Amino acid sequence: MIDKYALETALFKVRLYREDLNFSAGHISIYGDEMEGQHGHNYQLSIEFEGTAGQEGLVIDFRTVKQILRRIIDQLNHHTLVPTLHPRLNIERREQATRISFGEQHLEFPTDHLVFLELPNLTSEMLAWYVFQSLTRQLPPEELARLHSIRVEVVESPGQSASYEGKIDARRA
């Protein structure tokens, strides 16, 4: 006989990692007193959800998550990602071109090729946090209500990744 209470309170982990959850993007990163030259990666996302299974026996509806992740990926894919919160990065946005300066280093890009992210730096760690924030803002309350945490991993190249795990506040759901 199944203990219904034990099943209703059991914690499960499910993971979403698919070939189509990837994006290619250039970025600018600051390391100490140096701005790393603009370069790119073929990023791969992996998302792990921890929570209780609802009446349907699901922790999360993957269909909903994939729709949200595709919107996030579409925003980032094939653009250069620029962190707007770095205190020493000067960004001069104009309609046609944007100039980015760090000390004596200057880069200029067509403005429509850039995505400006409110992050202090553009690292895999910060991208994982950004995806977590974007995902949790867009998940329906009924999905969030079953979750205890979400872990987002961003793989920037084989063998090199960063992750962020955030707790879900049930009061927000």
Side-chain angles (χ1 to χ4, degrees):
M1 183 164 195
I2 294 178
D3 181 346
K4 187 176 178 189
Y5 176 76
L7 186 58
E8 289 172 355
T9 59
L11 283 182
F12 296 92
K13 287 186 180 182
V14 295
R15 185 170 165 225
L16 183 62
Y17 57 103
R18 298 168 44 100
E19 182 91 15
D20 61 343
L21 294 180
N22 58 29
F23 62 97
S24 298
H27 71 104
I28 297 164
S29 294
I30 308 299
Y31 294 98
D33 288 333
E34 294 181 30
M35 177 170 62
E36 184 179 37
Q38 189 262 349
H39 67 285
H41 297 281
N42 293 316
Y43 294 100
Q44 180 72 41
L45 296 179
S46 171
I47 317 292
E48 184 176 88
F49 301 89
E50 180 183 63
T52 57
Q55 290 180 353
E56 301 84 23
L58 297 172
V59 172
I60 189 104
D61 184 342
F62 279 157
R63 296 171 303 173
T64 301
V65 174
K66 288 186 286 188
Q67 289 174 352
I68 294 168
L69 289 174
R70 285 188 184 112
R71 285 194 298 264
I72 296 168
I73 288 168
D74 287 347
Q75 174 203 12
L76 305 174
N77 199 27
H78 300 299
H79 287 88
T80 296
L81 311 178
V82 180
T84 62
L85 299 181
H86 193 284
R88 295 174 48 208
L89 200 61
N90 184 33
I91 302 168
E92 300 171 43
R93 293 188 216 186
R94 295 182 304 275
E95 189 174 329
Q96 298 297 318
T98 294
R99 183 181 175 125
I100 300 169
S101 303
F102 182 81
E104 298 299 314
Q105 294 177 279
H106 308 285
L107 299 170
E108 196 161 307
F109 299 93
T111 299
D112 63 352
H113 291 195
L114 302 176
V115 172
F116 301 96
L117 299 177
E118 291 186 19
L119 296 172
N121 208 350
L122 230 308
T123 61
S124 294
E125 294 90 335
M126 293 296 101
L127 275 175
W129 185 84
Y130 175 81
V131 171
F132 171 87
Q133 294 295 321
S134 298
L135 179 60
T136 55
R137 276 195 304 271
Q138 296 179 58
L139 277 171
E142 62 273 12
E143 295 285 356
L144 285 170
R146 291 191 304 273
L147 298 177
H148 290 227
S149 67
I150 299 174
R151 181 177 171 271
V152 175
E153 181 182 23
V154 175
V155 178
E156 71 175 30
S157 61
Q160 193 165 310
S161 69
S163 64
Y164 175 79
E165 182 171 346
K167 301 297 179 198
I168 303 301
D169 183 351
R171 293 168 298 174
R172 262 185 42 195

